Amino acid sequence: ELVLTSGAGKVGQKMLETGLTIDINAEKSLVARAARGRQAVIINDVTKEEGFLPNPLLPNTQSEMAVPMLVGESVLGVFDIQSDKINAFTEEAADIYTTLASQVAVALQNARLYQEQASVVTQLRELDRLKSSFLANMSHELRTPLNSILGFADVMLEGLDGPLTSTMDNDLRLIQKNGQHLLHLINDVLDMAKIESGRMSLHADTFNVNNLLEEVTSITSSLASDKNIALYIEPESDREVEIYADSTRIRQVMINLVNNSIKFTEKGSVALNVSRMDDARVLITVKDNGLGIPTDQLETIFLEFTQVDTTTTRKVGGTGLGLPISRRLVEMHGGRLWAESSGIDGEGSTFFVELPLETRVTEIIEKREK
Ligand code: ADP
């Protein structure tokens, strides 16, 4: 173990330049003794000290005091003070310097810890940024060949390459179905990566909420009719209310919620509603009477890749990213998204989307635009 010598002033600078070190076990060294003993050492007349090793840069030294810089039991360094007068140092001076040295030691340790933490934070931020940009790039690269696979499956299914046997038709439909699932997954991962790296920006315009819900029901209607589920907008839904928000993203959220409701409802209905909460907010609800969600999982379903473990979930598949993305999108608008359910099969669940009438530009967007 070595005590590295460093210092201020001309002598200290020179010692630093020569890279001088002192072995902590050096028998005679005052600095090493102070470090080993964890207390101040004073020599008030070096001529009387046997084997005293003078510092070649300070040939006139007559007395010397070494004070350890302590934080608890650890020695961070040693103050070394030399004088060209005999008897320059008293016990009192040693006490004062000891206090001073320990204060400097604490400050030094704090500074070191702070520096370490700051560099860890910077490293983590950089890693996170790399992860998100890696995901964003990968998703893009994965989509290109996948679109080609899906495109050619379509071409063949349309019979453009000639007639198909029923086995070929069946296999191609499987390719198509799984390809679409993969595309969905990639799009979700891309969205999540964009949100997390702050690269998702909102483009707000003014639109009628009820009209948007009508679009959503027409997009999802085939899924509902396949399962014989009544999908409708409630008659008392407010047809007038307009909001200023990103209609593409709100549509994405609503499609996701309605798709989920249809997926997790075996028979019954899915009903949509919009109402003004007050002067500033609007509430959109999606109510189904399907499987329901256990009350202890009403929040966890908003975590990435989390699904309620049921045979239905396993059967219908999914990414477990739809709700987390939806919640982030709604929150970017300054709104809230949550679910309520009794958890009883047949009583279903209700998803609530609360949005401001006027979305203010959020921090995320402002940051992006700087
Ligand atoms: P995915 O639907 O792709 O699995 P989501 O994040 O959209 O991912 O949903 C997470 C989980 O929340 C679903 O797997 C399901 O377990 C549960 N869930 C969501 N919506 C409903 C609903 N309307 N009824 C019952 N369970 C639901």
Side-chain angles (χ1 to χ4, degrees):
E1 207 180 348
L2 292 170
V3 179
L4 258 175
T5 314
S6 67
K10 275 192 192 135
V11 172
Q13 280 301 324
K14 275 204 184 126
M15 287 164 77
L16 258 185
E17 278 160 24
T18 52
L20 184 72
T21 58
I22 297 169
D23 191 329
I24 196 163
N25 295 314
E27 195 61 41
K28 290 284 169 195
S29 161
L30 230 61
V31 168
R33 273 167 60 195
R36 284 200 304 270
R38 286 166 173 70
Q39 62 180 17
V41 183
I42 298 173
I43 297 179
N44 264 324
D45 185 352
V46 297
T47 54
K48 295 196 180 123
E49 184 77 8
E50 214 183 304
F52 179 77
L53 299 164
N55 181 338
L57 295 170
L58 295 165
N60 303 325
T61 293
Q62 296 293 324
S63 50
E64 181 172 352
M65 171 168 74
V67 183
M69 294 161 64
L70 294 174
V71 176
E73 274 301 286
S74 39
V75 182
L76 265 62
V78 176
F79 272 14
D80 185 35
I81 308 122
Q82 309 194 9
S83 169
D84 52 12
K85 293 185 185 71
I86 284 181
N87 292 326
F89 305 109
T90 60
E91 284 301 322
E92 211 180 17
D95 284 348
I96 294 170
Y97 273 100
T98 303
T99 311
L100 183 67
S102 69
Q103 277 169 3
V104 173
V106 168
L108 182 65
Q109 200 189 35
N110 284 343
R112 280 187 187 159
L113 286 177
Y114 178 77
Q115 213 172 30
E116 259 168 48
Q117 268 176 357
S119 90
V120 168
V121 168
T122 319
Q123 277 171 12
L124 284 178
R125 276 218 194 102
E126 178 60 13
L127 272 179
D128 203 52
R129 203 191 56 75
L130 280 176
K131 180 205 76 181
S132 296
S133 94
F134 171 77
L135 282 177
N137 290 334
M138 271 309 283
S139 318
H140 184 74
E141 295 300 323
L142 289 169
R143 266 200 305 199
T144 315
L146 185 56
N147 278 325
S148 163
I149 292 171
L150 283 170
F152 281 109
D154 278 347
V155 165
M156 292 178 80
L157 276 168
E158 280 168 28
L160 296 176
D161 289 347
L164 301 173
T165 64
S166 71
T167 325
M168 284 156 87
D169 187 90
N170 199 38
D171 290 354
L172 276 170
R173 279 182 205 286
L174 279 176
I175 291 175
Q176 193 184 42
K177 187 173 148 232
N178 284 291
Q180 274 159 356
H181 179 68
L182 187 55
L183 186 61
H184 192 78
L185 198 73
I186 292 168
N187 284 337
D188 278 358
V189 169
L190 181 61
D191 273 354
M192 205 65 211
K194 267 201 207 155
I195 292 174
E196 291 203 329
S197 59
R199 281 195 274 173
M200 170 80 75
S201 47
L202 300 182
H203 303 280
D205 52 11
T206 302
F207 60 91
N208 178 297
V209 182
N210 201 78
N211 289 354
L212 182 113
L213 294 187
E214 269 168 12
E215 271 177 57
V216 171
T217 52
S218 79
I219 292 167
T220 50
S221 64
S222 67
L223 205 63
S225 56
D226 283 352
K227 292 185 75 176
N228 245 333
I229 286 166
L231 170 65
Y232 62 95
I233 298 176
E234 286 175 357
E236 63 272 26
S237 178
D238 188 329
R239 319 241 147 200
E240 305 301 323
V241 59
E242 290 193 332
I243 63 170
Y244 179 73
D246 186 328
S247 56
T248 310
R249 295 304 172 186
I250 300 301
R251 187 184 300 111
Q252 178 182 353
V253 170
M254 296 316 301
I255 291 175
N256 181 43
L257 295 180
V258 172
N259 270 339
N260 273 350
S261 280
I262 299 170
K263 268 187 346 192
F264 297 105
T265 302
E266 272 322 304
K267 54 172 191 282
S269 61
V270 174
L272 305 181
N273 186 282
V274 49
S275 62
R276 287 278 287 263
M277 294 176 81
D278 51 38
D279 290 351
R281 286 168 306 161
V282 61
L283 184 68
I284 311 171
T285 54
V286 180
K287 187 173 158 50
D288 65 59
N289 54 4
L291 208 61
I293 299 161
T295 44
D296 63 341
Q297 296 187 41
L298 285 170
E299 267 306 305
T300 52
I301 54 169
F302 290 97
L303 300 176
E304 286 153 47
F305 300 112
T306 316
Q307 302 177 316
V308 180
D309 187 31
T310 59
T311 42
T312 314
T313 331
R314 285 193 293 274
K315 201 174 71 196
V316 299
T319 64
L321 278 173
L323 288 178
I325 290 171
S326 299
R327 178 174 268 185
R328 294 288 286 267
L329 289 175
V330 170
E331 284 173 354
M332 277 175 75
H333 281 84
R336 293 195 303 141
L337 167 60
W338 73 98
E340 287 175 12
S341 173
S342 62
I344 298 167
D345 191 356
E347 288 190 8
S349 344
T350 307
F351 282 77
F352 297 84
V353 180
E354 184 192 305
L355 285 171
L357 291 178
E358 288 263 340
T359 291
R360 269 170 296 134
V361 176
T362 65
E363 215 183 72
I364 304 166
I365 306 165
E366 270 171 354
K367 241 189 247 154
R368 246 188 61 90
E369 282 175 354
K370 256 179 208 151

